[in-house]
Amino acid sequence: MRKTVQKQVILSTVLASCDHPDAETICERARAVIPSISLGTVYRNLAQLAADGKLKRISIPDSGDRFDKNVEEHAHFHCLGCGKVIDVNLNFEQMDSCKEFLTEKMGVTLTKITVVMQGYCSDCAKGE
Amino acid sequence: MRKTVQKQVILSTVLASCDHPDAETICERARAVIPSISLGTVYRNLAQLAADGKLKRISIPDSGDRFDKNVEEHAHFHCLGCGKVIDVNLNFEQMDSCKEFLTEKMGVTLTKITVVMQGYCSDCAKGE
DNA sequence: GGCTTATTGATAACGATTATCAGTAACATT
DNA sequence: AATGTTACTGATAATCGTTATCAATAAGCC
Ligand SMILES: [Mn+2]
Ligand SMILES: [Mn+2]
Ligand SMILES: [Zn+2]
Ligand SMILES: [Zn+2]
């Protein structure tokens, strides 16, 4: 993996983000530093950085992927009103025992766990 | 919602499925009964039936949606080798208390929870 | 500096899903 | 049973997020 200014800016952009931005948002933010950076380059580097474990890609149902500086295993809440994604800290004892069950009793190899809760945040109130 | 042969066949196809088929697979199976049924009609009815609670749509990261006759809340394992999706029965005490936390302490309204574990099933062994 | 090749920006291609639309059929009303 | 209304159909185009392609560029090694 070659070190480029684009890659450095993309990574530092994600590391500086306190939300869970998507590729396009990251591209816009990176353009504050490198106005000519292309969306393709952003996607390419995000994929590479995620594969390298420097950041995390989060799949959200019916929505584009988000990116997270927190690479620890944790759940997310996705607001169907405003689209924001927030962390949900679960003490997954149950999850851990489930993982154990899958790996030991079923011979399954786990590589990734996705937990997304969806609904409406307090700002977006229930009724519209 | 109007009752049509297409809708009935699509629903009974899903109800008769013991796996977690995607729209195209459901379309192929439905064509055994109605050879002329179109994929668009399958998508349209699956969306309608899911909205009506008669079946469940499952989002799988980096893959097309699957459909499930089991509308109860449950987790899934997705094999990255053969693509199959199998049920994972979690006793989500932790999940329930998390839902309570989100709704009561954060004022969040929950409508949908997605739990997908990915990796390799025993048939697909770890090393290819 | 010169060489190799990973990376870039621009653009095309992709796959899953949804939208569009004229023709058809479900079903309520006569 | 004939009619009228309109949800639904099949065919097709369009959408959206993402990946692939490719000539030009630049990172990093000698
Ligand atoms: Mn997070
Ligand atoms: Mn299931
Ligand atoms: Zn919101
Ligand atoms: Zn498998």
Side-chain angles (χ1 to χ4, degrees), chain A residues 55-92:
Chain A
L55 51 81
K56 199 173 198 276
R57 171 178 231 139
I58 303 161
S59 298
I60 307 284
D62 311 314
S63 174
D65 288 357
R66 306 302 190 93
F67 295 86
D68 199 333
K69 64 178 168 187
N70 180 5
V71 298
E72 298 300 310
E73 187 175 302
H74 62 290
H76 290 98
F77 172 81
H78 175 223
C79 178
L80 299 171
C82 60
K84 82 177 147 208
V85 170
I86 60 183
D87 288 333
V88 174
N89 292 313
L90 296 180
N91 245 41
F92 265 178

Side-chain angles (χ1 to χ4, degrees), chain A residues 96-116:
Chain A
D96 286 343
S97 70
C98 175
K99 281 160 66 175
E100 227 173 277
F101 174 75
L102 281 174
T103 51
E104 288 171 24
K105 300 265 168 66
M106 295 188 65
V108 154
T109 312
L110 279 182
T111 60
K112 187 184 172 190
I113 297 186
T114 305
V115 179
V116 180

Side-chain angles (χ1 to χ4, degrees), chain B residues 87-119:
Chain B
D87 288 333
V88 175
N89 292 312
L90 296 180
N91 245 43
F92 266 176
E93 293 158 25
Q94 207 88 26
M95 191 66 87
D96 285 344
S97 69
C98 175
K99 280 160 67 174
E100 226 174 276
F101 174 75
L102 282 173
T103 51
E104 288 172 24
K105 300 264 169 68
M106 297 188 64
V108 153
T109 311
L110 279 183
T111 59
K112 187 184 170 190
I113 297 187
T114 304
V115 179
V116 180
M117 308 190 171
Q118 292 173 296

